């Protein structure tokens, strides 16, 4: 025996009688903010007017004033609870339909006052449009109880037909609302998928361009630097060391390029777990620059008891790397000084070069695009730090970055 329908029916009954309310929907006048601001005061005035009309009708029907006030309150209360608590409003309505009946005159068309009858229709219509089918069935069944017991037999069929029509229309309205909501959600998912595909296509295009252009030239540089000592005759030892340093730098750049291409071609958006350089790798980078012919010195001091945070160390490494590249490009042959001073709350990185007498033999200088300084500034500001780059008074250039450990710089 399939117990699923029974369990569904009992669950619907439990929610109808004691369960949580239906989820709230958007305000009726949310599309019109100018009208929505007047909804609350206008609704309150309408409730007061309905209360007064009900009180007047009940008084005309011969009820004492205290009971007339109670019946008027029971008529208005469901309408006040309807916007946010529809099931509660319906429960109050059923209670009012069962209680506010014994004083109706014999010539009245129904057992309830016109405000209570019209208000009950509004409450039932709204509730049936906002609950699922198991709850809807129980709402219709329970609402039919006072209709079958209190309405005159001549009017009973019409009232039941109206209740059935409200149930059908309410179910259609609810299904239409759910369909539009699902359609909107599906449209949003499709847009996000299109955006993701566009990003992946752009990343793939960038990876392809990097592989076809940059990686190709770097491979040629590495091969030419490695084979130059064997192709040339009487190569001095210092020159051979410079060729080896150039080849090592090219191979390192190719390794970083392969890692970057893997990231660009991957659909994963999680954190990268590949090892990243930090302050401990600065001496090797400076030594490689020295072997390539750059007169560079490194000054690292420490006042910390604990290691520098990994994001700060990576940013410092990249800033020094870009600073050395800029010095080699724009001031070939000039002495370069790198200073890294970890303090108690921030890391100060300084790269400065002396003025150059002119381009070295075989070296050509090209105007840069400015992306190097922009990248260094973005690395510093992303950690809440500061960055400055300016020419020195006597010639040369200096870049200074201050990187706080906690990501909260002075400007935050």
């Amino acid at each position: 025996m399939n117990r699923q329908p029974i369990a569904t029916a009992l669950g619907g009954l439990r929610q109808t009688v004691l369960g949580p309310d239906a989820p709230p929907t958007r305000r009726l006048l949310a599309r019109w903010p100018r009208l929505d601001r007047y909804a609350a005061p206008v609704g309150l005035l309408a409730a007061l007017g309905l209360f007064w009309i009900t009180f007047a009708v009940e008084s005309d029907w011969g009820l004492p004033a205290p009971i007339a006030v109670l019946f008027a309150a029971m008529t208005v209360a469901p309408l006040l609870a309807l916007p946010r608590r529809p099931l509660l409003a319906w429960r109050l309505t059923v209670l009012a339909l069962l209680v506010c009946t014994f004083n109706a005159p014999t010539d009245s068309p129904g057992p309830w006052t016109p405000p209570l009858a019209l208000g009950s229709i509004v409450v039932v219509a709204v509730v049936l449009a906002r609950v699922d089918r198991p709850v809807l069935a129980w709402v219709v069944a329970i609402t039919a109880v006072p209709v079958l017991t209190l309405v005159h037999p001549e009017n009973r069929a019409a009232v039941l037909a109206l209740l059935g029509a409200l149930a059908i229309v309410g179910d259609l309205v609810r299904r239409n609302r759910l369909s539009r909501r699902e359609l909107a959600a599906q449209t949003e998912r499709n847009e996000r998928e299109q955006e993701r595909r566009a990003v992946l296509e752009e990343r793939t295009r960038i990876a392809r361009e990097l592989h076809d252009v940059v990686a190709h030239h770097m491979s040629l540089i590495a091969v030419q630097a490695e084979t130059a000592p064997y192709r040339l005759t009487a190569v001095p030892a210092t020159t051979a060391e410079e060729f080896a340093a150039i080849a090592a730098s090219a191979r390192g750049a190719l390794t970083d390029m392969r890692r970057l291409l893997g990231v660009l071609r991957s659909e994963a958006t999680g954190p990268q777990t590949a090892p990243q350089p930090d302050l401990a790798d600065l001496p090797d980078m400076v030594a490689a620059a020295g072997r390539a012919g750059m007169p560079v010195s490194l000054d690292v001091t420490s006042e910390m008891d604990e290691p520098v945070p990994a994001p700060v160390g990576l940013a410092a490494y990249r800033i020094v790397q870009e600073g050395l590249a800029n010095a080699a490009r724009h001031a070939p042959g000039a002495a370069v000084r790198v200073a890294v001073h970890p303090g108690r709350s921030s890391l100060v990185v300084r790269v400065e070069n002396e003025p150059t007498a002119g381009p070295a033999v075989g070296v050509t200088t090209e105007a840069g695009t400015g992306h190097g300084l922009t990248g260094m500034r973005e690395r510093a500001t992303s950690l809440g730090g500061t960055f400055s780059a300016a020419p020195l008074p006597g010639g040369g250039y200096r870049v200074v970055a201050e990187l706080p450990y906690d990501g909260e710089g002075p400007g935050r």
Side-chain angles (χ1 to χ4, degrees):
M1 179 179 179
N2 188 4
R3 298 180 179 273
Q4 184 62 32
I6 299 177
T8 302
L10 293 178
L13 177 61
R14 187 182 305 109
Q15 181 178 354
T16 303
V17 178
L18 300 174
D21 234 311
T25 58
R26 189 175 59 177
R27 296 172 64 91
L28 182 62
L29 301 178
R31 295 183 179 180
W32 301 279
R34 293 184 178 181
L35 297 178
D36 188 55
R37 70 181 64 177
Y38 301 108
V42 171
L44 182 59
L45 290 177
L48 291 176
L50 184 62
F51 179 89
W52 178 255
I53 293 174
T54 305
F55 175 77
V57 173
E58 296 287 2
S59 298
D60 291 341
W61 285 3
L63 281 182
I67 299 180
V69 169
L70 176 62
F71 282 13
M74 295 180 67
T75 301
V76 174
L79 297 175
L80 295 178
L82 183 62
R84 295 187 178 275
R85 303 289 301 275
L87 276 179
L88 176 62
W90 170 79
R91 295 162 189 161
L92 295 176
T93 296
V94 173
L95 179 63
L97 291 177
L98 293 174
V99 172
C100 305
T101 57
F102 63 86
N103 63 316
T106 56
D107 58 348
S108 175
W112 306 293
T113 61
L116 179 57
L118 295 176
S120 300
I121 294 174
V122 171
V123 171
V124 171
V126 172
V127 171
L128 294 178
R130 292 179 60 176
V131 297
D132 55 11
R133 285 186 173 179
V135 179
L136 181 144
W138 283 110
V139 167
V140 172
I142 297 175
T143 306
V145 172
V147 174
L148 293 174
T149 56
L150 299 175
V151 175
H152 194 276
E154 296 180 356
N155 302 325
R156 192 174 297 164
V159 177
L160 291 176
L162 175 61
L163 184 61
L166 292 178
I168 296 174
V169 174
D171 185 61
L172 293 176
V173 169
R174 175 181 170 275
R175 292 175 58 185
N176 179 64
R177 185 175 67 251
L178 293 179
S179 299
R180 288 189 286 107
R181 187 180 302 171
E182 179 62 26
L183 178 61
Q186 183 63 39
T187 303
E188 184 179 357
R189 288 194 295 268
N190 292 339
E191 291 177 353
R192 288 200 301 265
E193 180 64 20
Q194 292 177 359
E195 293 175 358
R196 189 184 69 86
R197 290 183 178 274
V199 170
L200 290 177
E201 292 176 359
E202 182 65 15
R203 288 168 57 177
T204 302
R205 185 189 68 81
I206 295 173
R208 183 172 59 250
E209 294 295 329
L210 288 175
H211 179 271
D212 295 343
V213 180
V214 181
H216 172 71
H217 291 302
M218 293 302 298
S219 298
L220 290 179
I221 293 173
V223 172
Q224 290 175 353
E226 288 177 343
T227 60
Y230 303 98
R231 292 183 286 102
L232 302 177
T233 58
V235 177
T238 56
T239 304
E241 291 179 358
E242 290 185 9
F243 279 126
I246 294 173
S249 298
R251 286 194 298 270
L254 282 173
T255 300
D256 291 340
M257 184 67 66
R258 293 189 188 98
R259 185 183 299 117
L260 177 61
L261 293 178
V263 172
L264 288 176
R265 292 184 182 275
S266 174
E267 296 187 11
T269 58
Q272 302 300 320
T273 58
Q276 296 292 331
D278 55 15
L279 292 183
D281 299 308
L282 281 180
D284 293 337
M285 180 175 60
V286 172
R291 289 192 299 269
M294 175 182 291
V296 57
S297 61
L298 175 63
D299 178 19
V300 179
T301 60
S302 178
E303 300 177 2
M304 290 187 62
D305 297 331
E306 299 179 359
V308 172
V312 176
L314 174 61
Y317 182 92
R318 295 304 184 191
I319 290 174
V320 173
Q321 185 180 47
E322 185 61 33
L324 292 178
N326 286 343
R329 184 182 304 113
H330 301 291
V336 182
R337 292 182 296 274
V338 178
V340 180
H341 300 286
R344 297 186 178 278
S345 61
S346 63
L347 178 73
V348 178
V349 180
R350 181 182 294 105
V351 181
E352 61 182 34
N353 61 269
E354 296 179 354
T356 180
V361 178
V363 177
T364 59
T365 59
E366 299 178 356
T369 60
H371 295 306
L373 293 178
T374 301
M376 288 190 283
R377 180 175 289 104
E378 289 176 351
R379 288 186 181 276
T381 55
S382 66
L383 296 175
T386 59
F387 177 82
S388 62
L392 295 174
Y397 206 81
R398 173 191 292 167
V399 296
V400 180
E402 183 177 359
L403 311 175
Y405 302 140
D406 56 0
E408 296 292 335
R412 292 194 173 190

